[in-house]
Amino acid sequence: MVRFGGTPTPTRRAAGGTEPARSRERFLEGGPVEAGVRAPISSSWQRCRSLGLSPDRSDLPFRDDYDTEARIVRAAAPVLDRLRDRFAGSQMNICVADASGTVLLRRFGEASLARSLPAIQRVPGFVFAEQFAGTNGIGLALAERQLIRVYGAEHFAERAQTSACRALPVRDPLSGRIEGVLCFGYPRGFDDPALATVIRKAARAIERRLLRHSSARERALLRAYLDTEAEAAVGRHYTIGLDELALGQHSRDRAILMETATELISCAQRAAVHVPLSDGRRVTLLSRPMTSATGVVGLAIEAVLPGPAPRHPLVAPRQVDEVPVFPAGPAASYAGHPLGAVTVAAPGRTATGGKGVTCLGAPDDHPAAAPPSRGLLLVGEPEVARHALAARRRLELLSEASTRIGTTLDVRRTAQELAETAVPQLADYVTIDLPEAVLRGEESADPHGDLHRTVVHGIRDDCPFHPVGKQVDYGPTTPQLRCLTDGEPVLEPDLEAAAGWLAHDPEHSGDLLAHVHSLIAVPLVARGVVLGVAAFYRGRDPAPFGDDDRSLAQDLASRAALSIDNARRYTRERTMVLALQRSLLPHGLPEQDAVDVAHRYLPAESDVGGDWYDVIPLSGSRVGLMVGDVVGHGMLSAATMGRLRTAARSFAELDLPPDEVLIHLDNLVGRLDREDAADDEADIIGATCLYAIYDPTTQRCTMARAGHPPPALVSPDGTVSFPELPAGPPLGLGGLPFEAVETGLPEGSQLVLYTDGLIEDRHRDVDDVLDQLREALAYPERPPEETCQVVLHSVAPAHPYDDIALLVARTRALDPGRIATWDLLPDPALVGDVRARAMRQLADWGLDEAAFAAELILSELVTNAVRHGSGSVRVRLLLDRTLICEVSDASNTAPHLRRAASTDEGGRGLFLVAQLAQSWGTRYLPQGKVIWAECGLDGT
């Protein structure tokens, strides 16, 4: 029966433990650690092997100089006596060890155990640290710094195979430092889960007693200060209470005074600091060393407030015959303090440098100045004050981390922000390793083995860490891989004793030991996804990392991991949207001779939008140039862009004029908006568009825009202008017309189309940007490719928040010698004359092979125009990449291709044209139409 707190708890016989024994045997034979072995045990075994420990070794170091009056002994002794009574009659072995693993106290549930057990298990003084005793409860609790259970064959040493134990670190409640270990040892067959609750309660009882001891020390300091004050006579200095001193102060002032007082105590020397208050006054804080009757050494902080003493009752009047003398040494300044310099004066002198009675903090040095008010602000021990300051700074660092980590949605930048936040407040060096897949926005299939150095940041640049970009391989005993395997941070206070870390890469580890001495490895895990590992190193500060530092590093890493995961998810989504966007944009430029074209697409840094551009070859050697911008960002905008670009190209290939193309697009956007409103009312589809058609035969350009920025026109002489095109409403509003404007573009002119991401920037004025664009374009001799590069380099924002689509086209003119035109009356007799003229023209052009097909095509088209059209007929031949035959008349009726029946007398002409031509179609004019057909120069 196990009793604690008066409640009996039955113990149950545990299982036989054959599996741990088999796993241990295989491990000792050199095999791998079995998957069923618990992570802390397997890590400990690996460390024992790397330390060269032998399982059959039975001797342990013995210390006869351990402190029998240590704090942990005085706090734990009554608790162990109570545990002995509760476990009376059982084979329970209860002990307390210090932070180095040396057993200081032992108690036994059965008195005979003290005589029957070997000395190593019953006499205090033996050291059970892991590096000496192998895997055991005390050593493993110190290594893992948490509650530990070691059962039977999980022990490394042969002598402990028949035993089981549970061990738990005991911490100082003020500092969080491990003061010792409480351990329960018992026969292997009597393990019980209820012992975990028992040992936790006992450890908390010891920690409460440690806290009471600390409180008693502070009370002794306060009593010593009051006794000193009672001995002082009444004089011209007065003592007031803190609450009275704080009258009229803001809460911020009180917090500043307390923080400064705590820092003065942590300095452990006489000093003075001037603290400005929010109302313009200045309080001087004086620190005075003192020792209590029981030998407790600490400091008292007094506040001196300039001005007359208050009229209300005072707490304890006193007289000061002289200003406290400061220790020897030159004046020192704590420049790092945020409130002012802490000055230390030479002995025998006042803070002003003269001899005599001078009050620190007085408004001036005049002897008639009003005496200051003076009172006790704080008493304490330097060590406690340092812990309080450290705790406050940890909270400040966490608060700072909430604003510094995750400012962008970039994985690398977020990792860098974690390192910059931790250095130097927590660590001197930070390295962060992430899998390549995470950097691409994916989840890593092997987060333990596919790690690449992503960040190296520290107080100096000469620390020999692996460089950024290098793949890092960690062994199974290294802290980094252990933390990834267990999902918990791993603390290595002393890297010189970290056998697993040293054995992994002895040469590189030896180089690092010249710069660092302590390590915390923390896994970066968010939403169940392992993102990588962060390693915090300390080298400048002689104090090693502690448990509070580990908790702080874990908090920082957890916040950073969430931000990294957000950035990773965003990167994945952005990559998908960008891939969709690029797949929907033109993959190459079509073959045409009307313009020389260059284009650029630059996605926004924050998100991908719906900008697009297009170059569309049209009939008659013309070309259509289009840019557009869908409202919003993300997948919906990219998908909508693809739908609009496809529709716009289809409308353009129907040879519709620019204003009619925009009308059709406007109707389409309105329809899409109505169709999608049922799914998500918040997503309103809108877009802007600019469409231009350039004709190299006339060197004329027709343009229309729907809420889009106007294009830039660069004349051959370098003049840059922005034509005043009717703006038109954005696509999707409906009901408003669009207007097209025609202008001349001489050969060698440049037409520059762009989206608003190029010129609109929240940090720049649009007029200034247009001036920059004008300057960048004022070089007509530049080829379009170079123009694109110059514009993006000199005009585009450094960090665009919107997509940029840029299209630069330099115009060409079709040689008049490659154009043949004939006007004729609608007389069937003239058809033969047209054919003859065309054949002669083709012969002059050297197109004898195309003559047969062209003759038949012209014959059918001219005959149809004469028979079914109206007004005069114009025939035009264009020699471009293909031979283009055009026949125009004043009629708006267009022929339709149909299959003629065997009994029909007509209807076969267009079928013949379709068979002979590569393509054919109808283009409408303001008055009439044009029927055109293209055939190859070789007649195909």
Side-chain angles (χ1 to χ4, degrees), residues 333-411:
S333 174
Y334 297 90
H337 195 278
L339 304 173
V342 179
T343 57
V344 181
R349 293 184 178 269
T350 65
T352 59
K355 296 182 179 180
V357 180
T358 303
C359 299
L360 287 175
D364 53 50
D365 295 335
H366 196 278
S373 302
R374 188 182 190 124
L376 177 66
L377 185 64
L378 193 65
V379 296
E381 297 180 80
E383 186 69 17
V384 176
R386 280 191 284 269
H387 292 313
L389 282 175
R392 182 180 296 115
R393 286 166 184 165
R394 283 193 290 269
L395 292 175
E396 293 172 352
L397 182 58
L398 286 175
S399 177
E400 180 184 356
S402 63
T403 59
R404 291 189 60 182
I405 299 177
T407 60
T408 68
L409 287 172
D410 181 82
V411 173

Side-chain angles (χ1 to χ4, degrees), residues 732-756:
L733 295 183
L736 297 175
F738 299 96
E739 185 177 350
V741 174
E742 185 175 330
T743 184
L745 289 182
E747 184 177 11
S749 302
Q750 285 192 355
L751 180 63
V752 181
L753 286 69
Y754 51 87
T755 55
D756 58 1

Side-chain angles (χ1 to χ4, degrees), residues 50 141 177 207 262 291 373 391 446 461-462 481 679 710 772 825:
S50 63
R177 183 180 58 218
E207 290 170 351
T262 305
T291 304
S373 302
D446 182 20
D461 297 331
D462 58 350
L481 196 61
D679 299 331
Q772 294 177 10
L825 297 174

Side-chain angles (χ1 to χ4, degrees), residues 835 838-840 842-843 847-858 883 935-939:
R835 289 201 302 265
M839 292 305 99
R840 287 195 296 271
L842 293 180
L847 299 179
D848 295 333
E849 295 182 1
F852 176 75
E855 183 179 9
L856 289 178
I857 290 173
L858 278 176
L883 179 62
C935 61
L937 300 182
D938 57 356

Side-chain angles (χ1 to χ4, degrees), residues 14 135 148 179 233 279 448 534 537 627 676 778 811 823 912:
T135 307
I148 288 298
E179 291 287 331
D279 58 5
H448 297 176
Y537 294 88
V627 292
D676 295 344
T811 62
D823 293 323
L912 181 62

Side-chain angles (χ1 to χ4, degrees), residues 81-102:
D81 291 339
R82 187 180 177 192
L83 288 172
R84 178 187 56 195
D85 296 338
R86 296 299 182 265
F87 288 121
S90 69
Q91 299 185 39
M92 184 67 69
N93 185 342
I94 312 158
C95 68
V96 167
D98 63 14
S100 66
T102 303

